[in-house]
Amino acid sequence: MQLKGLIRFFTILLIIYSVYELSFTWVVRGHEKKMEAKAKQFVNLNYASADQATKDQAYKDRLRRLLDSTKDENIHFGVTGPISYQKAKEEELNLGLDLQGGINVTLEVELQGLIRSMANNSKDANFLKALQNAEARKANSSADYVSLFVEEYKKVAGADAPLAPLFAAASAGKIGPKDSDDKVIAAIRTEANDAFERTLHVLTTRIDQFGVAQPNINPNKDKGIITVELSGVNDESDVERVRKLLQSSANLQFWLTYKFEEYAAALDQAGKALALEQSGGTKAITSATDTTGKKAGLDSTTKKNDSNAVAKANADTAGGMNPLAKLIKSTRHGLGFSVNDTAIVREYLNSDAVRRTFVQAGLADAQFAFGIPARGENGKLENTVPLYVLKTNNTDKAPMEGDVIVDARQGFDQMSNNPNVNMETNAIGNTKWERLTKISYDEKRPIAIVLDNVVLSAPTANNGPITGGRTEITGDFSLQEAQDLANLLKAGKFAAPAKIVQSQVVGPTLGANAIHGGFLAFGISFLVIFLLMLIYYNTAGWVANIALILNLLFTIGVLTGLGATLTAPGIAGLVLTIGMAVDTNVIIYERIKEELTKGKGYIPAVNEGYKRSLPPVLDAHVTTLLTAIILFSFGLGPVRGFATTQIIGILLSLFCGILVSRWVTNWFTDKKRHLEYFTPISRRILKHPTYKFIQYRKIAYGISVVVLILGIASIFNGFHQGVEFKGGRTFIVRFNEPMTGKVEGVRQDLEKAFGDSSSLVIKTIGASNQLDITTSYQIDNTSQAADSIVAAKLLQGLGKYIPATTSYQQFMQNNIVGKTTVLPTISDDLKSGAKWATFWSLVIIALYIFIRFRDWRYSLGTIFSLLHDVLVTLAVFSFLKNVVPFPLELDQHFIAAVLTVIGFSMNDTVIVFDRIREYSRQMVGASKETVINKAINDTLSRTIMTSLTVFLTILILFLVGGEVTKGFAFAMLIGVITGTYSSIFVAAPILVDLGGKRALGSDEPKAPEKTVTKAKTQKV
């Protein structure tokens, strides 16, 4: 075997890499278990007599504080030296929302308000009608909102109506009254892109306030959506807070700040008062955040005497028990504290002791605000968060707000050529800004530019009051920082809030069940396939099992290294990987067995087996890989996790199944030990089969016609569409007693409460005391109160089945274990993506087969076979939707199953096709029927074994894998069965009746006489 040393090197390297990556997960889990034990001990000592709810909250708060305080503690060692808990946490294997509970939201950036602002809130009837029509079309169109608006405006105002007059007045010279439509559209798109980045920045800043260790934020600028996943956010109050904050408009304000000497004494006294309050025991942290901002200025340099004063004040108190003095230090930018202490500093500053002390000191209007860590000389963010004290005059209304900003753009200082920010205000803003900058100049008082309570910049007017509405903000900006600040300053001018179009809340119980079911299926599947390989392939099965173990190790290790998130569908992908990983070895071993049966020696048989098996193995993996890539491209959320797992598993399966297996096999050969490929069982199964499959093709064609009719009929019979495809709200409700036999009564009561029965779907999910309830009630209501309105109606309708004393808050906290909201806009996108994913899968695979076999008949046979598989699956999901005791829904998981079935079905089909092509070149003069029958029979054992391994793993996933993947597993079971059938009875027989007398192994008919003559010459 060539390159044996290189294969050994990469195998060892991948083992070390995978173990190293997984070691972060093991170490982090060990550290967190220690902190959990300490938190429990703390609660048992300090809250022994408290009720359970108080204990649970105290435990959560204490654990959060312990983990936050140990972020810098070294818990691991790597190639670069000691590794802190925070760094190790970033490197561990991430669990998805569906496995650990939390909230997932998809937000759409609203551009209607942006276009209105750019048009100076024009009252033009055509303009307003175009906006209205574009908004209506958006729900059923894949085009972006700007294109829809332009199209609608041209419809209502006329094709020749110019856009420039609408936008010229408020564009600050960017758009002229006579500019072309293309220039106007380009300007709108530029602002739309800026709005997306601005919204993303605002959302990121707000998400930092939730104290989530590893928030997952995935922006998609092409679709104008941002997906946010926050693990551990389960409480109804926290969920509502998240929803409210993520959807609220950006709040840009300009505040004067207190100078250090004005609050230094109060801060010192506040720290001492806080120490006194804590003398009886430290109060648990109740909130955590990591706020950001950027310090800059008209002149943002901190005065030297201020820094000296800070240092002196800290020195005076550091020797005592002042907790603030221990955390808040003087820096080159003024007061600040470590990023890791953000949560506890916020807790201290918001405490009653601190507020009371500041009020007594005559600073009742003081409000603390955090900024963004400054960048060091190396360009990296420092570990210190700046602290500011805002002078609010006891009002929420700032002296100047973002609505007066006309424009803001990044520029360069004329003297130093350093990046700066140029800001323009309107007439009202000019007056306010002049007043603010005068105070700043006279009192040397910084002006804090605050976005959502985060200080972006704190400049000081050093050259006198600023008049005329044009301001140049200078500081130690990088080019990117200046561009970001300019963009964020426009948050008040161009409103583009984000609207939640899809949300999912998974309770911790539901997540725990998903983990248990997924890993149980994974473990059982691994054990079953491990034993099957030994039972059927004797000692050669050990090589297959070694390849399987390495494949799984490498897959999980690479997933961890890439920072991927493991979801319930991702675990399903791992389970499927178990079945498909051994398929490579099955294909190779079956060919080796054929060669051994023909009487070849051991080494020639092994060499021929690997050589002859390589093309079908590559073809099978390429087709499956193509469908996985398409699924990743069109899927969202957890389904992309499944596709990611499958893609990595397929690539590593090639490496382990072909190269590593061959290396291990050669190692045994070099040791003069031959592997056994037969067992008494495998010798008796399918021994020299001679079934005449082609003779029954007319019957198969008849069955296919029936399948075609049923597939078409399923469209009229209808399906149960999941909430992802039809839009609506789904609640998973847990009751105190089994609901068996009560579903119809629940349906009738909810119909009365919602006033509509057409969209109500109720089914048992998981345990007998859990119902999955879906409704489209209030689905067009996009207000923040919509979810609460629907949940209140749900509580009203379920009044007979839950205790009468249950409050709304108790209902949401104790009975709702999961909920999902999908607005029509995103559901239409998902349906469109599903259709295109299926279409392109069929086309691309057919094209690949054509390129691979250079014959259109193989491609056409492939299309018929795959359509047959898809139609059977659709028919089953349509006609059995009310028969089986589990939900059959068309959703993203179903599409994932269909695409996977398409790829898997090609696995068997390609093997048969490859053997047909091989035999058509060897069996010169034989009829098509004879060639195809022999090819199917000789690959029958291989076809059955590859299907059996996948079928067993999917069956186990279906039985014990949990509710999240049950529909996916059922679709896969149907697909594996029909895929095996179609490979034998549909794809191959079609070759007989296509192409007339053209030979199966070439593009043109061959002359038998010439071939026979050549063969005779070779025998001489």
Side-chain angles (χ1 to χ4, degrees), residues 212-261:
V212 176
Q214 291 174 296
N216 191 6
I217 307 172
N218 294 310
N220 188 327
K221 187 179 292 187
D222 294 334
K223 295 182 180 180
I225 60 175
I226 301 171
T227 302
V228 177
E229 190 170 285
L230 303 175
S231 60
V233 180
N234 306 116
D235 294 341
E236 180 61 22
S237 59
D238 291 338
V239 169
E240 290 304 314
R241 174 171 169 256
V242 167
R243 293 175 59 87
K244 181 178 179 181
L245 282 178
L246 292 182
Q247 293 185 102
S248 60
S249 298
N251 186 23
L252 181 66
Q253 298 177 314
F254 296 77
W255 294 98
L256 290 168
T257 64
Y258 277 104
K259 293 182 289 185
F260 173 74
E261 59 266 22

Side-chain angles (χ1 to χ4, degrees), residues 868-869 904 947 951 971-983:
H868 176 277
D869 300 339
F904 172 77
S947 299
F951 183 85
M972 278 293 299
L973 288 175
I974 300 300
V976 170
I977 295 173
T978 188
T980 304
Y981 169 85
S982 65
S983 298

Side-chain angles (χ1 to χ4, degrees), residues 49 52 64 181 301 325 337 369 402 440 539 560 589 632 671 902 927:
S49 59
Q52 190 59 44
R64 181 187 299 169
D181 287 349
T301 307
F337 53 88
S440 175
T539 54
T560 306
Y589 290 173
F632 181 86
K671 298 293 183 180
I902 289 174
S927 65

Side-chain angles (χ1 to χ4, degrees), residues 462-497:
N462 288 331
N463 300 318
I466 298 175
T467 61
R470 294 179 181 271
T471 304
E472 182 180 284
I473 305 175
T474 60
D476 55 347
F477 294 118
S478 68
L479 180 62
Q480 184 63 50
E481 288 170 336
Q483 291 172 345
D484 289 344
L485 178 57
N487 193 21
L488 289 171
L489 283 172
K490 293 188 288 187
K493 171 62 179 175
F494 295 138

Side-chain angles (χ1 to χ4, degrees), residues 522 526 547-557 574 577-578 656:
F522 177 81
F526 176 81
L548 172 61
I549 293 171
L550 291 178
N551 191 7
L552 292 174
L553 174 64
F554 296 163
T555 299
I556 299 174
L574 285 176
T577 297
I578 293 175
C656 296

